[in-house]
Amino acid sequence: IKIETIMPNRLKIDIDWKGLMVWKMNDKPSVDVRSQWLFGAPAQKLAVTVDATLSRKSEPFPAYKSYVFENPEVSFSSETKTILEAKLNDEGALNFSPALSLEQRAPGMLKAGLLVKVFEPGGAFSSDYGSIDFSPYSRYIGMRSPELKNFWDYLETGKTYPMDIVALNPDGKLVGGNTKLTARLYKVQWRWWW
């Protein structure tokens, strides 16, 4: 491997979501990108790209860790899209309002990983990575199964079990009022000897 192939970043890159915690599907948030050379001068007029990668988010709501908020019937493969190709201004800054859509159905809350690259005049680039929650839905239904106290972790047929259900908005707050919900429970039979 040649030494020239491994280069440290020569530019500092900052991404500012202005306090935004959850990027909602149809919103176009205002995002600031700022870059400067490591010796302090602004990265004037340099090209910048931003790639967003959507992936599953495990435990989307920390206050409800014991609840499941994903639809197990929906599979999801990570998606990567370029959401910005532009140039920084004279101060090495840029404000943009990204839009992001999905090519497939999401099982629940997603994570948007953003890879920001700022290109030097010679073609080399510096990069920075950040992430934010991405919400494709306006509410999330979480279900908590009863605690199982048997060896095989199963629910016995013919017994009544409580199921706790919550409806949350993308910010993790309880949704007020009544929410119409259709639920299906399946009995799965499995035998270890065949």
Side-chain angles (χ1 to χ4, degrees):
I1 185 168
K2 293 183 179 183
I3 299 296
E4 298 88 31
T5 60
I6 302 171
M7 282 183 54
N9 282 346
R10 298 185 341 166
L11 294 161
K12 181 179 183 222
I13 303 167
D14 291 316
I15 308 166
D16 183 6
W17 287 89
K18 301 177 183 175
L20 186 69
M21 301 301 290
V22 179
W23 180 3
K24 296 172 181 116
M25 176 83 138
N26 296 320
D27 289 354
K28 288 187 171 185
S30 177
V31 181
D32 289 334
V33 174
R34 184 172 296 281
S35 182
Q36 65 185 32
W37 294 96
L38 292 183
F39 56 81
Q44 296 179 339
K45 307 277 188 198
L46 296 183
V48 61
T49 64
V50 179
D51 295 329
T53 301
L54 292 175
S55 57
R56 291 178 107 117
K57 171 141 175 99
S58 60
E59 295 184 7
F61 305 106
Y64 295 90
K65 282 185 178 184
S66 59
Y67 288 78
V68 176
F69 289 92
E70 281 197 344
N71 181 348
E73 293 180 349
V74 177
S75 63
F76 186 82
S77 299
S78 293
E79 297 180 5
T80 301
K81 296 178 182 184
T82 300
I83 59 173
L84 177 71
E85 290 179 338
K87 286 198 178 263
L88 299 172
N89 64 17
D90 289 334
E91 287 84 40
L94 172 73
N95 177 274
F96 72 106
S97 296
L100 196 54
S101 60
L102 288 170
E103 302 296 324
Q104 55 188 319
R105 239 175 97 201
M109 182 74 79
L110 300 174
K111 181 178 84 168
L114 300 176
L115 178 63
V116 180
K117 293 180 184 176
V118 178
F119 293 86
E120 298 175 20
F125 65 86
S126 295
S127 62
D128 193 20
Y129 178 84
S131 65
I132 188 169
D133 290 350
F134 181 77
S135 176
Y137 303 113
S138 60
R139 59 177 63 162
Y140 294 85
I141 305 299
M143 186 174 84
R144 180 171 57 190
S145 297
E147 188 176 327
L148 303 173
K149 296 179 181 168
N150 54 48
F151 181 74
W152 297 103
D153 288 341
Y154 66 90
L155 299 175
E156 294 181 44
T157 304
K159 289 192 175 182
T160 302
Y161 296 95
M163 293 285 195
D164 295 325
I165 296 175
V166 294
L168 304 178
N169 68 19
D171 298 315
K173 306 284 187 236
L174 288 169
V175 174
N178 293 326
T179 301
K180 185 176 179 179
L181 175 68
T182 302
R184 294 184 196 110
L185 295 175
Y186 295 93
K187 179 180 177 181
V188 179
Q189 293 188 347
W190 178 78
R191 291 177 175 52
W192 65 270
W193 57 87
W194 77 76

